[in-house]
Amino acid sequence: MLDVILVHGFPLDRRLWEQQLVAAPKDLRLHAIDLPGFGNSTESPASSVEAMADAVHRASAGMKRFALGGVSMGGYVVLAYWRKYGHEKRVAGLVLADTKETADSPEAKVDRNGVISLVEAQGVSPLAVRMLPRLVSSEANEGVRRELRTIMESQRVEAVIAATEAMRDRPDSSDLLPTIDVPVLAIGGELDVITPPGVMAAMASKLPNAKHHVSPAVGHLPWWERPAEFNQALFSFLSTLS
Ligand code: MLT
């Protein structure tokens, strides 16, 4: 039995992984966590990816060996975890979904500050409206859009602001990739506009033991559009670790 910790993206929570929790094979024990301040978390929001990695470390207490996966911001947290806690050698493998190792560009940092001002002034709703077309492809159905919007709109302003600061200030992790000596699944949507397949392929090429999988015809959150295809790739990778 392999424990698997899954870290959500921005500005979402553990509900992002419901499609995996219901479909997981019996040899995997999935733990979809809420980052500090998100979802049901009662912890104070974390304004650095390192503090988010500390939350993952707390969630892993008692696990001798586990796999760790994250999507987008969750991937930044996975890399921060490896930087701080990789030496503990408890990680069996990583899943990096629709994410990247590089830091924000100067333009992206300016955009983050705009997001913070927007959310401070108007709450999370306008951000959810702005993000939705970037999270799924134009083919995504109304139900999926509604559900994602509901999850985004339920997040606390303080958590969303802190996470935006954390992403804006996250370090470049390019130096880390060659040190990741466990198997990695780098998986992303073909139509992802935030971390397109070329970005994922470049990251995978710098990892010593990575497999790159492109989920066809879907956006930034592949399993929200084609759950079976994504789960097949995810679970067959995780089963090789257990
Ligand atoms: C996410 O999906 O978690 C975010 O869009 C990532 C980012 O803004 O860098």
Side-chain angles (χ1 to χ4, degrees):
M1 176 69 77
L2 180 70
D3 286 298
V4 182
I5 299 178
L6 295 171
V7 188
H8 59 83
F10 173 86
L12 296 151
D13 64 30
R14 72 193 184 291
R15 285 175 284 176
L16 199 60
W17 300 106
E18 259 157 26
Q19 298 280 357
Q20 284 66 49
L21 297 187
V22 295
K26 289 196 174 22
D27 58 337
L28 301 174
R29 192 187 295 123
L30 268 44
H31 309 262
I33 65 164
D34 281 325
L35 287 169
F38 284 92
N40 287 340
S41 162
T42 52
E43 296 178 327
S44 309
S47 55
S48 71
V49 288
E50 187 184 352
M52 292 175 175
D54 292 340
V56 172
H57 193 249
R58 289 193 289 280
S60 74
M63 297 176 194
K64 269 209 187 109
R65 187 172 174 273
F66 60 96
L68 177 58
V71 60
S72 202
M73 176 178 76
Y76 309 155
V77 177
V78 168
L79 293 172
Y81 180 93
W82 184 270
R83 186 181 293 284
K84 189 161 180 184
Y85 297 108
H87 66 272
E88 292 182 356
K89 302 273 180 219
R90 292 191 296 140
V91 174
L94 300 179
V95 178
L96 293 169
D98 300 85
T99 193
K100 55 182 178 242
E101 78 283 16
T102 47
D104 270 7
S105 65
E107 299 75 35
K109 285 180 196 282
V110 170
D111 191 56
R112 299 284 190 205
N113 291 335
V115 167
I116 292 170
S117 305
L118 176 71
V119 173
E120 273 170 351
Q122 296 179 49
V124 182
S125 218
L127 174 65
V129 171
R130 183 183 130 156
M131 288 221 47
L132 201 50
R134 294 166 60 76
L135 296 183
V136 289
S137 78
S138 56
E139 298 302 310
N141 69 45
E142 259 322 298
V144 161
R145 289 167 194 277
R146 203 174 322 112
E147 217 174 314
L148 283 170
R149 191 166 162 182
T150 302
I151 299 176
M152 287 194 272
E153 287 180 340
S154 70
Q155 305 309 326
R156 292 162 52 199
V157 163
E158 301 74 28
V160 172
I161 291 173
T164 307
E165 291 168 349
M167 292 192 287
R168 178 194 64 195
D169 301 337
R170 74 185 187 280
D172 186 290
S173 292
S174 304
D175 63 315
L176 216 58
L177 299 185
T179 73
I180 300 181
D181 52 2
V182 296
V184 179
L185 173 65
I187 182 165
E190 182 186 19
L191 306 176
D192 184 355
V193 291
I194 300 178
T195 44
V199 169
M200 297 288 298
M203 178 176 72
S205 72
K206 293 177 211 136
L207 287 158
N209 190 4
K211 177 177 184 292
H212 180 212
H213 177 90
V214 181
S215 290
V218 293
H220 188 58
L221 302 174
W223 63 96
W224 278 74
E225 297 182 70
R226 292 185 65 190
E229 195 280 335
F230 180 89
N231 281 350
Q232 158 71 27
L234 176 71
F235 294 142
S236 55
F237 170 74
L238 291 172
S239 293
T240 64
L241 307 174
S242 65

